[in-house]
Amino acid sequence: QVQLVESGGGLVQAGGSLRLSCAASGRTFSSYAMGWFRQAPGKEREFVATIGRSAGSTYYADSVKGRFTISRDNAKNTVYLQMNSLKPEDTAIYYCAAGYGSSSLGQYDFWGQGTQVTVSS
């Protein structure tokens, strides 16, 4: 079992930056690929980024490629999402998840409660 707690969300102006963190409990953090997803009001949850168990591989949605960076620190049981050049369309609740990787929600077994990111124009 893995419990995930996100933090770092908030209100930022367009063009600004935020760094999200996701702290995981348990000793098996390094056994899981980690992902970030987001859900805007009235829309389905969508993939943002994923990182492999040893941080050797990353993959991004086209909409965030070049602006967002996912990373992890297995010693701290934490995964991060650095978000730069934020746009109003990035406004959403951001969720971290632990599982088998990929861009598919179904490949993730554990989810955090989410953190709100609001980008003003």
Side-chain angles (χ1 to χ4, degrees):
Q1 193 80 1
V2 178
Q3 293 185 327
L4 304 171
V5 179
E6 301 97 335
S7 62
L11 174 64
V12 64
Q13 289 188 334
S17 298
L18 282 175
R19 188 175 83 152
L20 305 183
S21 299
C22 174
S25 65
R27 301 180 180 179
T28 58
F29 176 75
S30 61
S31 299
Y32 293 96
M34 298 298 295
W36 284 96
F37 291 78
R38 67 186 181 186
Q39 188 166 17
K43 295 187 177 181
E44 294 185 349
R45 193 170 299 188
E46 65 175 7
F47 168 75
V48 175
T50 186
I51 187 166
R53 292 178 295 177
S54 61
S57 63
T58 58
Y59 179 68
Y60 298 90
D62 288 343
S63 58
V64 307
K65 199 173 296 181
R67 300 188 297 122
F68 291 11
T69 302
I70 188 171
S71 62
R72 67 189 295 166
D73 185 338
N74 286 345
K76 295 183 177 180
N77 281 10
T78 302
V79 62
Y80 305 96
L81 186 68
Q82 177 67 44
M83 305 186 295
N84 299 328
S85 302
L86 283 161
K87 305 175 181 179
E89 51 264 42
D90 294 318
T91 295
I93 299 174
Y94 283 72
Y95 300 89
C96 71
Y100 299 99
S102 89
S103 60
S104 172
L105 277 72
Q107 294 296 309
Y108 293 86
D109 296 325
F110 305 102
W111 293 82
Q113 83 290 347
T115 186
Q116 177 71 49
V117 171
T118 303
V119 184
S120 63
S121 58

